[in-house]
Amino acid sequence: MGFKCGIVGLPNVGKSTLFNALTATAAAQAAKYPFSTVEANIGEVAVPDPRLDVLAKLARSAKLVPTRIAFVDIAGLVSGASRGEGLGNQFLAVIREVDAIAHVVRCFENPDIPHVNDRIDPIADIDTIETELMLADLDSLERRIDGLAKKVKGGDAEAKLSLDLINRALGLLRDGKPARFVEVRPDEEKAFRGLGLLTSKPVLYVCNVDEAAAATGNDFSRRVEQRAQQEGARVVVIAAQIEAEIAVLPAAERAEYLNAIGLREAGLDRLIRAGYDLLRLLTYFTAGPKEAKAWTITRGTKAPQAAGVIHSDFERGFIRAETIAYDDYVALGGEAGARDAGRLRLEGKEYVVADGDVMHFRFAT
């Protein structure tokens, strides 16, 4: 199960610097975690989770396998991208393939790095990108109306649902609001996702600041935070250039560097976790002598589908899930202690997996 967060932004906002820091992080992680992969425009990184180390020690696991999230570098968008300017159609197509958007916003001044609009205005930058995505969505939806209307007249129930969702989305888009604000019922979510709307994707704003503002933010980033609060979006403040330097340092030197600039942890760690949360993901674990492993599922996933993330046979033949809450597993010294204390639960097909559950699946072949 792959989850991708696309990195977007205007040219010269620090997007490539941020992505390079992420790929350097992925390369560094290869020393500790197996199967780190980096492609030309994809940086796949481990989601920082200290719980995995704790479980591995208790289970005496030979290796650790963390859960992962991929960040996709999408070339800088420009005004007019929705009409194909600056290879816009190609870039917009890539955005359609990601699950969420990390929107990098320039929140620093540097006369040596020109801004495409010759001024530092993060809110205007956000509006430029969002406008292009909304225009692309408007064009995409308006092209579908006539065809769907004909199917609706023929009694096509699926077309009727799609047309209703399109009209609701168009109402917002024409009012200058992104499609992620469309109110969608649970039974409509699949059809809504099928529309492939760029502005329906959840957004995380990444404020790229200079080193002096890495720990505290600045006036620019605070304006972005106000905007995000109005939208119910997430914000992470990062100094991308500093992160690129930190990413290639040995662990001991990294901690010393962070301390020197007043940070308790790398901004990239916060970004990775924020992207994970933005996608409404959670982690459950399996732990044993061979390995301690973290598994990614969406919130609300039931036990059989969680088992299917490991192997499709586990879902098809699901019988039950032996489940221990993370806190119980740790407090009672591992699986044996939790079992003896009666804290190991047998959960069935309707059980909704909780974050941190340590699980062992029983299934019929």
Side-chain angles (χ1 to χ4, degrees), residues 1 25 38 61-62 70 84 120 123 159 171 178-179 213 257 262 268-269 286 317 319 322 326-327 338 340 348:
M1 187 179 283
T25 297
V38 180
S61 305
I120 308 302
I123 303 304
Y257 193 127
L268 287 182
D269 286 351
T286 53
I319 299 174
E322 297 179 358
Y326 172 80
D327 289 344
D340 292 343

Side-chain angles (χ1 to χ4, degrees), residues 17 36-37 44 53 99 115 130 167 171 175 214 229 238 243 263 299 325 332 339 354 362 365:
T17 302
S36 288
T37 60
E44 188 177 277
D53 296 272
D99 302 298
H115 189 285
E130 189 130 276
N167 285 327
D175 198 31
Q229 188 172 23
I238 268 184
E243 296 296 329
L263 291 175
R299 295 185 185 279
L332 297 166
R339 187 187 300 273
R362 298 293 184 185
T365 55

Side-chain angles (χ1 to χ4, degrees), residues 31-233:
K32 182 176 182 181
Y33 302 126
F35 310 117
S36 288
T37 60
V38 180
E39 298 177 16
N41 70 328
I42 300 179
E44 188 177 277
V45 291
V47 177
D49 194 331
R51 295 177 298 181
L52 186 62
D53 296 272
V54 175
L55 291 175
K57 289 177 182 176
L58 289 171
R60 296 181 174 83
S61 305
K63 67 177 180 179
L64 291 76
V65 184
T67 190
R68 315 187 73 78
I69 186 170
F71 286 88
V72 183
D73 186 25
I74 299 170
L77 295 172
V78 295
S79 182
S82 60
R83 302 187 303 275
E85 297 291 334
L87 297 179
N89 291 333
Q90 177 183 334
F91 301 151
L92 294 174
V94 176
I95 295 174
R96 291 189 199 281
E97 297 175 0
V98 302
D99 302 298
I101 292 173
H103 186 162
V104 182
V105 186
R106 179 167 171 171
C107 293
F108 67 90
E109 296 186 81
N110 187 332
D112 296 327
I113 304 176
H115 189 285
V116 290
N117 295 325
D118 296 322
R119 72 186 191 283
I120 308 302
D121 186 342
I123 303 304
D125 292 354
I126 289 171
D127 288 339
T128 295
I129 296 290
E130 189 130 276
T131 296
E132 294 305 320
L133 299 184
M134 286 193 290
L135 288 171
D137 280 346
L138 275 167
D139 181 63
S140 170
L141 294 180
E142 287 172 345
R143 289 171 184 267
R144 305 183 210 182
I145 290 177
D146 289 343
L148 285 170
K150 290 178 182 177
K151 290 183 178 180
V152 171
K153 287 181 180 178
D156 189 322
E158 189 174 319
K160 183 179 180 181
L161 173 58
S162 294
L163 186 58
D164 178 51
L165 290 169
I166 283 174
N167 285 327
R168 282 147 63 183
L170 283 172
L172 282 172
L173 291 165
R174 288 168 179 161
D175 198 31
K177 297 176 182 177
R180 59 181 172 273
F181 294 145
V182 174
E183 293 185 9
V184 180
R185 298 192 308 268
D187 61 319
E188 298 174 326
E189 288 180 358
K190 184 177 180 180
F192 186 64
R193 287 196 302 271
L195 298 178
L197 300 180
L198 301 170
T199 61
S200 69
K201 300 179 185 298
V203 173
L204 165 69
Y205 293 115
V206 183
C207 298
N208 185 19
V209 300
D210 55 25
E211 180 178 349
T216 60
N218 57 24
D219 289 341
F220 293 130
S221 67
R222 282 184 274 279
R223 290 177 61 196
V224 176
E225 288 169 351
Q226 290 174 354
R227 167 71 172 257
Q229 188 172 23
Q230 294 169 0
E231 298 180 359

Side-chain angles (χ1 to χ4, degrees), residues 253-273:
E253 292 181 31
R254 190 179 309 165
E256 189 175 316
Y257 193 127
L258 288 169
N259 187 58
I261 60 175
L263 291 175
R264 288 183 294 178
E265 64 175 341
L268 287 182
D269 286 351
R270 288 185 283 111
L271 171 61
I272 293 165
R273 281 202 303 274

Side-chain angles (χ1 to χ4, degrees), residues 229-243:
Q229 188 172 23
Q230 294 169 0
E231 298 180 359
R234 298 283 302 276
V235 179
V236 174
V237 176
I238 268 184
Q241 186 58 53
I242 299 303
E243 296 296 329

